[in-house]
């Protein structure tokens, strides 16, 4: 919730004092500075979300838990930093799903 609020407020905070119609060199410099500030704020939010995602995935006990976490974070998976955090767990998820499938197969073949 805090991250959503941060993202919602980031453009307002970054561009509130910039005259977007000022095309002078000073106006362009102010706009570039505001854009850099905005990018830094969004990067910080993304890093926090990636850290939270990694923590939640690390705490998962099985594939079902991992899929729940992925479903919750799905809208954010278009962001590069968040997607990178997910890649770290792809092999673990594949392995966990494989183990779950083997357990189910052995349960129904006995």
């Amino acid at each position: 919730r805090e991250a959503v609020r941060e993202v919602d407020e980031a453009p307002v905070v970054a561009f509130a004092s910039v005259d977007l119609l000022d095309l002078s060199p000073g106006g362009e410099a102010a706009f570039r500075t505001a854009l850099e500030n905005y990018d830094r704020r969004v990067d910080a939010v993304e890093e926090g979300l990636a850290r939270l995602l990694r923590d939640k995935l690390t705490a998962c006990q099985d594939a079902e838990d991992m899929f729940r976490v992925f479903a919750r974070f799905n809208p954010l998976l278009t962001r590069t930093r968040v997607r990178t955090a997910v890649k770290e767990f792809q092999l673990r998820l594949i392995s966990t799903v494989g183990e779950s499938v083997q357990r189910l197969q052995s349960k129904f073949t006995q």
Side-chain angles (χ1 to χ4, degrees):
R1 296 180 200 275
E2 171 112 6
V4 172
R5 185 180 54 74
E6 237 345 271
V7 170
D8 284 344
E9 292 176 358
V12 175
V13 171
F15 295 99
S17 63
V18 176
D19 180 3
L20 299 176
L21 299 177
D22 182 0
L23 300 178
S24 70
E28 288 180 13
F31 179 78
R32 275 193 304 276
T33 300
L35 190 57
E36 289 169 5
N37 290 338
Y38 170 78
D39 287 341
R40 275 195 293 278
R41 285 182 73 111
V42 170
D43 283 346
V45 170
E46 281 184 7
E47 182 59 38
L49 289 170
R51 194 175 322 109
L52 177 64
L53 177 57
R54 278 192 295 274
D55 291 347
K56 296 241 181 236
L57 288 170
T58 300
C60 290
Q61 299 297 318
D62 57 22
E64 189 175 334
D65 289 344
M66 292 180 96
F67 281 119
R68 263 192 232 110
V69 171
F70 283 126
R72 183 173 176 201
F73 282 85
N74 188 46
L76 301 171
L77 295 178
T78 60
R79 305 301 296 184
T80 303
R81 189 169 279 143
V82 177
R83 196 171 45 244
T84 301
V86 170
K87 284 185 180 185
E88 296 173 14
F89 290 89
Q90 282 179 333
L91 291 176
R92 181 174 165 205
L93 177 61
I94 291 169
S95 173
T96 305
V97 168
E99 291 168 7
S100 295
V101 168
Q102 287 177 348
R103 277 194 301 270
L104 282 173
Q105 283 178 333
S106 67
K107 181 178 179 180
F108 289 106
T109 56
Q110 291 178 350

